Structures are given as C-alpha cells and as structure tokens.
C-alpha cells in the first residue's frame, strides 16, 4: 500500500466516488430504460397500425362484397333494381350506399335511383378509393368511396367516414390516408403530410389503396414511459443508491480494515514532546503525539492518517490505546515525575459524543495515584465540540475529576468567549503558525499579544507551541506565557527516550 492512499480518500472524496459510481450506474440504467422504452413504444405503435389495417381491410372487404354482388345487375334498367341495391346495402355491414356509374352519370343508386346528373369525378387513389370531406348525401360528414371497375362501368360503394373514424379511435391517434388526404379519429379530413412533430410510422394495406399513419413524439413517449417504465426507473434509482452506498462503504472498509489491522498489530505508538515551564528551564509536562510504525512504509506522520481515523470512528480506540501506552509506560515510574506533571492528549471531537472518555481519564489518572499528574485534553479549535446535554455532562464530570481542557491551534478557528466559558477551558495553545512568524511579521506578534491579553483576562494558562528559536522563546517569555513547547526544547520522542531527553531522574 502506498502512503498517498492514506491522504487520498477523505470523507468528501469517498462521497464523490460513491456519487460518481451511483450516478454513472443511474445514467446507464436510464439510457437502457429509455432505449427499451423507445423500442417498446415503436413496436406497440407498429402493432396498432397492423391492427388498424386488419380492421379497415375488413370494412373495405364489405364494400368489395357489395360491389361484386351488384356487378351482375349492370346494364339493366334502374327502376327494377333500385330496391335490390338498397337491399344489398342494408344487408351488408359498414356500407351506406351503392351506385352504378358510367362516364360520370349515376345510372342507378341505392339512394337516388336513376339520375342523369354527372358526378364530379375526382381522382381515385389507384383508381380504387376516394376520401371526401362531404358529398351531396351528407354535406357535413366525410365519406369514403370504394370503386370497382366493370368494363366501362364502375360500381361505387359509399362508406361513412364516421364508421372509419370510430375504428381509428379504438386504436389511438391513427390516421387513415387515402391519396393526398387523411381521416383521423375525430372525423377530420386533412391534407396528408401536414407538418407533425416527431417520428412518423406508416403501414400500407396490401389489398386496398390506403395506408395508416401514426406519430411518436416527446409527449407520447413521456406518457408511455410514465405508464410502462416508472417501476424500472424507481428500481434503477434504488439500485444506483445501493451501489453508491456499497462503493462508499468499500472505500471506507479498505482503509478501515488497514487501520484496524494496524491497531491490532500495535503499530500506533505514543511519542512525547516536552513542555517547558515559563522560563524554559524545566520540563513540566509532555504532549502525547501519535505515530504509525507501518511495517512497510516506516513512520507515518499523524496528519496523514488522523483525519481518516476520525472519519472511520477508529480515533477513539486509537486514543485509548495511546492512553494505555502512556499509563503503562510512565505510571510505574510516576514517583520520579516532577509534581503535577502535565500529560496532554489530543482528543477528537467525536470522542466527546459519549461519556466513555470519563472512564478513559479515570483509568489514566488512577495509574498515577502515587504522584498525581495533571491530565490535559487538547481539543482543536478547528473542530469545535457541539454543546448539548451529553457534552455538557461529560465536561462537568471531567472538571470534577480535575481533568483540564486546552484549546489547541488557538487563533485558527472560531471559538467564542461563551464557548471557552461553557466548556470551562483551562489552557489556550497559541497556534504554531503565529509563533513561527514572531520574528518576521507584525500581525503575528499582534495576534500573540492579543491571545496573551485574552488569556490573562479570562484567567487561562497559555501554552505556546512550535517554539523553534531563542528569539521566539524570549518574546513569549517576556509576555509571561506559562508553558513553552517546540523543537527548541525537544522533539517528540518514544516514551522510553523521553526520560533521557527530558533529563528526568
Ligand atoms: P498538534 O496537536 O498541533 O501537534 C503539534 C504538532 O507540531 C506535532 O506534529 C509536533 O510534532 C509539531 N511540532 C512540535 N514542535 C514543533 C516545532 O518546534 N516546530 C514545528 N514546525 N512543529 C513542531 P505531529 O506530531 O506531526 O502532529 C500533527 C497533528 O496531528 C497534531 O497537531 C494533532 O492535530 C494531530 N495528532 C497527533 N497525535 C494525535 C492524537 O493522538 N490524536 C489526535 N486526535 N490527533 C493527533
Ligand atoms: Ca496538540
Ligand atoms: Ca497545535
């Protein structure tokens, strides 16, 4: 495992990975659902068009049947046949009239009998079908005329547009097209090819001179999807969320697993850095800092893994392990420590969510009963503890036990005076970034002066961390800072070395 992995997977990054993975899956699923939906709607429409052709062919079959029945009567006088024509019409479904015509003259009609009046001959589609928005018999209604040629004669069979529209209406918004005109389910006759948005599907009858048309557009597609693919959409969403959660967990579990392993293997080790008195002459305490002794990567600095440990909740057992190491390493030699020796531990805000910290501190203090020490919990100002019933109870308990609270990295966050009082803070640790710039910039000096001033007004002890030069030490000492900590006095070292470096007995 490469060390960059420890810093590369923060909570936000894991969230981003999970969102990207879930989002991608959702996108793929949606594309698939849309494609399948489109195919489904397409074949459903084709099917409806086929059905329409079947039903309309049946209507035209009736017209054809009438024409065939009338055929032997051609050439006879109309008077004797008129009633026969009417009988044929009446006994055949779907047709409304039949006429024998020659050269535009109505030789005999089931409606008008014999009429010499020339009919207005219009072009029949393929010489067979003619769609009219009205005619003499029904000026307000459309009619479709089927024509059958018999030598110089024609048999014209009339079909009500209304009946055809009814058939179309049963199958949705299909249009019947005859020649250059169309008939729709609302009995409207219009010019074919008038602009329609969407994809046009069309099937021609193989037996009669007409075709049926339909259109798929965005509105129809949307309605279809809502009716047919809503469940699939919900399933895809659920699946993507599930996948996202799995990804989120898996990215966690890899690191979680590695941190767990390291914790079990005892790879997290306590280092101690000395804290000096206000003159910088005597070690009065030490800050416990965590180190990861990785078997392959060597020593890993805490800022690489602490944020991950906090995210995964492992920071609590890790801190507890550090407390155990210090307790067992230093406790037996407690009597050799200077009186009221300070042990500072860095505590994550998540450790303050319950009262287990009280037990941890109690155990720690008990180990030093021979020569009581001052236990300090450092809470960073960048991640403030939320005041609520539990945290208030926790801090009350800690105060009762004599545990002190320090605000770490002071000056970099937003703790208010109310916050300092609420949690009965004892120490402020001036952030090392201000200390580092003491010699160089006036603003940092100004901030240090202000923190010193604030601490004295609130009666808080002050610790300066990151003291590296004598100049910084002199400046801080001149302002009466209570404790000094930094490379000038000592690096963080393993517990065993601390006795030697701090020149403790
Ligand atoms: P911090 O609590 O502000 O700790 C002080 C850091 O400054 C330590 O870095 C220390 O080694 C470093 N330091 C000490 N003296 C000097 C100096 O003179 N100059 C400079 N430039 N640096 C100095 P370290 O040990 O790498 O720790 C980094 C951070 O990791 C700590 O900052 C703390 O926030 C976190 N951390 C370390 N151990 C623990 C732990 O056990 N629990 C928790 N929650 N956080 C920890
Ligand atoms: Ca600290
Ligand atoms: Ca600090």
């Amino acid at each position: 495992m490469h060390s960059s992995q420890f810093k590369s997977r923060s909570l936000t990054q894991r969230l981003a990975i999970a969102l990207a993975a879930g989002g991608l899956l959702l996108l793929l699923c949606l594309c698939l659902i849309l494609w399948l939906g489109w195919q489904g709607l397409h074949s459903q429409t084709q099917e409806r068009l086929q059905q329409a052709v079947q039903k309309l062919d049946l209507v035209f079959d009736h017209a054809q049947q009438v024409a065939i029945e009338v055929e032997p009567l051609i050439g006879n006088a109309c008077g004797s046949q008129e009633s026969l024509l009417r009988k044929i019409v009446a006994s055949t479904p779907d047709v409304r009239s039949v006429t024998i015509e020659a050269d535009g003259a109505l030789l005999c009609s089931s409606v008008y009998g014999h009429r010499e009046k020339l009919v207005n001959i219009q072009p029949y589609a393929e010489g067979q079908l003619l769609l009219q928005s009205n005619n003499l018999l029904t000026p307000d209604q459309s009619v479709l005329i089927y024509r059958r040629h018999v030598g110089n004669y024609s048999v014209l069979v009339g079909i009500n547009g209304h009946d055809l529209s009814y058939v179309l209406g049963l199958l949705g918004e299909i249009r019947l097209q005859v020649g250059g005109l169309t008939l729709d389910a609302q009995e409207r006759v219009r010019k074919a090819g008038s602009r329609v948005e969407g994809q046009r599907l069309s099937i021609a009858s193989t037996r009669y001179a007409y075709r049926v048309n339909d259109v798929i557009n965005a509105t129809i597609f949307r309605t279809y999807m809502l009716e047919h693919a809503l469940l699939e959409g919900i399933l895809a969403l659920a699946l993507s969320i599930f996948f996202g959660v799995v990804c989120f967990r898996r990215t966690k579990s890899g690191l979680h697993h590695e941190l767990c392993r390291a914790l079990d293997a005892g790879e997290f080790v306590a280092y101690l850095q000395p804290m000096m008195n206000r003159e910088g002459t005597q070690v009065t305490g030490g800050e416990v800092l965590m180190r990861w002794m990785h078997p392959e990567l060597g020593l890993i600095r805490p800022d690489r893994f602490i944020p991950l440990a906090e995210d995964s909740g492992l920071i609590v057992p890790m801190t507890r392990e550090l407390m155990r190491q210090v307790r067992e390493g230093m406790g037996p030699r407690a009597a050799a420590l200077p009186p009221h020796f300070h042990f500072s531990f860095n505590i994550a805000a998540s450790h303050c969510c319950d009262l287990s910290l009280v037990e941890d501190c109690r155990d720690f203090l008990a180990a030093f009963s021979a020569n009581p020490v001052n236990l300090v919990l450092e809470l960073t100002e960048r991640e403030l503890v939320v005041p609520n019933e539990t945290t208030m109870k926790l801090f009350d308990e800690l105060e009762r036990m004599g545990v002190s609270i320090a605000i770490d990295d002071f000056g970099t966050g937003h703790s208010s005076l109310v916050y300092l009082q609420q949690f009965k803070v004892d120490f402020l640790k001036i952030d090392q970034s201000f200390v580092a710039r003491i010699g160089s910039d006036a603003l940092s000096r100004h901030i240090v002066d202000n923190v010193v001033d604030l601490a004295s007004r609130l009666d808080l002890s002050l610790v300066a961390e990151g003291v590296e030069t004598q100049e910084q030490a002199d400046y801080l000492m001149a302002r009466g800072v209570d404790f000094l900590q930094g490379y000038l006095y000592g690096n963080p070292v393993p517990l065993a070395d601390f006795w030697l470096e701090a020149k403790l007995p």
Side-chain angles (χ1 to χ4, degrees):
M1 189 185 287
H2 192 270
S3 69
S4 64
Q5 263 181 273
F6 299 125
K7 59 177 177 182
S8 64
R9 299 255 176 93
S10 67
L11 188 65
T12 356
Q13 282 166 328
R14 283 174 54 215
L15 267 176
I17 292 172
L19 274 177
L24 198 69
L25 183 68
L26 185 63
L27 197 70
L28 282 174
C29 288
L30 287 183
C31 286
L32 187 70
I33 291 172
L34 287 176
W35 184 77
L36 287 174
W38 182 259
Q39 297 295 323
L41 179 59
H42 206 273
S43 60
Q44 191 198 62
T45 310
Q46 289 276 8
E47 212 170 287
R48 279 193 301 116
L49 288 172
Q50 297 278 14
Q51 286 176 12
V53 168
Q54 271 176 16
K55 287 191 170 14
L56 292 169
D57 274 2
L58 207 65
V59 173
F60 293 123
D61 282 348
H62 292 141
Q64 189 185 47
Q65 183 191 324
V66 167
I68 290 169
E69 279 184 53
V70 168
E71 211 179 302
L73 309 178
I74 289 173
N76 299 342
C78 184
S80 60
Q81 295 172 23
E82 210 184 316
S83 64
L84 195 53
L85 292 185
R86 273 201 282 272
K87 205 172 142 195
I88 292 172
V89 168
S91 60
T92 315
D94 300 323
V95 300
R96 73 173 204 188
S97 66
V98 61
T99 305
I100 301 168
E101 176 254 350
D103 296 329
L106 306 176
L107 300 182
C108 196
S109 158
S110 62
V111 180
Y112 300 114
H114 177 76
R115 265 196 181 187
E116 281 304 324
K117 184 177 178 290
L118 287 181
V119 290
N120 182 13
I121 298 179
Q122 291 170 30
Y124 278 71
E126 296 173 31
Q128 189 190 48
L129 292 181
L130 174 67
L131 176 62
Q132 291 183 314
S133 54
N134 56 60
N135 75 351
L136 199 61
L137 180 60
T138 49
D140 302 327
Q141 280 177 29
S142 57
V143 61
L144 198 138
I145 301 166
Y146 168 82
R147 177 160 85 171
R148 185 174 168 84
H149 290 277
V150 186
N152 292 330
Y153 297 88
S154 293
V155 180
L156 307 179
V157 184
I159 302 164
N160 266 325
H162 176 80
D163 296 339
L164 295 167
S165 292
Y166 177 72
V167 172
L168 297 173
L170 289 179
L171 294 162
E173 289 298 309
I174 292 175
R175 288 187 191 184
L176 163 68
Q177 183 182 346
V178 175
L181 292 178
T182 61
L183 174 72
D184 64 18
Q186 288 76 38
E187 280 184 64
R188 286 175 302 211
V189 175
R190 282 190 261 198
K191 273 207 171 114
S194 45
R195 258 185 72 81
V196 275
E197 297 285 326
Q199 194 192 8
R200 188 165 167 268
L201 299 181
S202 182
I203 293 185
S205 164
T206 51
R207 298 176 49 218
Y208 299 99
Y210 75 93
R211 58 193 312 124
V212 281
N213 306 326
D214 202 353
V215 168
I216 302 180
N217 58 27
T219 319
I220 293 171
F221 185 50
R222 199 168 39 241
T223 316
Y224 177 86
M225 291 308 284
L226 282 175
E227 279 172 12
H228 294 83
L230 195 62
L231 188 67
E232 283 91 332
I234 293 170
L235 280 178
L237 184 68
L239 187 72
S240 308
I241 292 174
F242 176 74
F243 185 61
V245 171
V246 168
C247 284
F248 185 75
R249 288 192 160 207
R250 281 206 70 84
T251 48
K252 173 184 180 175
S253 59
L255 295 160
H256 189 83
H257 178 80
E258 180 60 12
L259 290 176
C260 279
R261 187 204 55 73
L263 185 61
D264 286 346
E267 289 171 16
F268 298 113
V269 185
Y271 270 45
L272 258 180
Q273 183 178 33
M275 287 166 71
M276 312 301 289
N277 63 358
R278 64 174 67 223
E279 291 82 27
T281 50
Q282 248 188 359
V283 177
T284 55
E287 178 176 2
V288 182
L289 294 159
M290 199 182 299
R291 295 289 179 267
W292 184 354
M293 300 297 186
H294 197 280
E296 290 155 31
L297 302 170
L299 193 135
I300 301 175
R301 290 182 61 94
D303 39 0
R304 285 273 178 88
F305 62 89
I306 293 284
L308 300 169
E310 284 177 357
D311 285 349
S312 66
L314 274 175
I315 190 68
V316 176
M318 281 158 72
T319 307
R320 207 165 277 152
E321 164 62 13
L322 241 54
M323 288 178 131
R324 185 195 64 78
Q325 287 179 20
V326 179
R327 200 174 67 209
E328 292 179 4
M330 309 289 275
R333 299 167 73 178
L337 290 169
H340 310 295
F341 194 79
H342 287 223
F343 278 113
S344 270
F345 285 87
N346 292 286
I347 299 296
S350 59
H351 205 154
C352 304
C353 291
D354 58 45
L355 299 179
S356 66
L357 187 57
V358 173
E359 290 313 309
D360 300 335
C361 293
R362 205 188 307 278
D363 290 348
F364 186 86
L365 290 173
F368 294 90
S369 50
N371 180 15
V373 292
N374 191 1
L375 174 59
V376 184
L377 304 183
E378 296 189 7
L379 302 168
T380 176
E381 200 190 31
R382 279 186 289 250
E383 198 193 333
L384 295 177
V385 176
V386 183
N388 58 32
E389 208 179 311
T390 313
T391 51
M392 298 317 287
K393 189 162 179 225
L394 171 76
F395 284 90
D396 278 351
E397 284 282 319
L398 291 173
E399 191 196 13
R400 207 167 306 140
M401 283 163 58
V403 175
S404 307
I405 303 297
I407 299 297
D408 204 358
D409 312 321
F410 193 76
T412 61
H414 310 281
S415 62
S416 60
L417 290 185
V418 176
Y419 184 86
L420 299 180
Q421 281 159 355
Q422 233 166 6
F423 288 110
K424 303 180 183 79
V425 168
D426 306 280
F427 295 87
L428 296 184
K429 287 192 85 169
I430 306 174
D431 189 66
Q432 52 181 268
S433 61
F434 303 124
V435 174
R437 299 206 300 262
I438 278 178
S440 54
D441 90 61
L443 180 67
S444 290
R445 276 203 305 272
H446 186 65
I447 290 174
V448 171
D449 291 353
N450 270 313
V451 176
V452 171
D453 187 45
L454 179 77
S456 81
R457 272 191 291 123
L458 294 180
D459 201 19
L460 302 176
S461 296
L462 256 185
V463 184
E465 62 179 4
V467 184
E468 292 182 1
T469 65
Q470 195 55 52
E471 186 194 357
Q472 292 163 354
D474 292 342
Y475 186 89
L476 294 160
M477 282 190 255
R479 267 143 196 92
V481 170
D482 304 276
F483 301 96
L484 303 165
Q485 180 186 349
Y487 297 156
L488 182 67
Y489 305 106
N491 293 348
V493 288
L495 297 185
D497 300 346
F498 186 77
W499 294 94
L500 300 173
E501 305 238 342
K503 300 190 183 66
L504 294 174

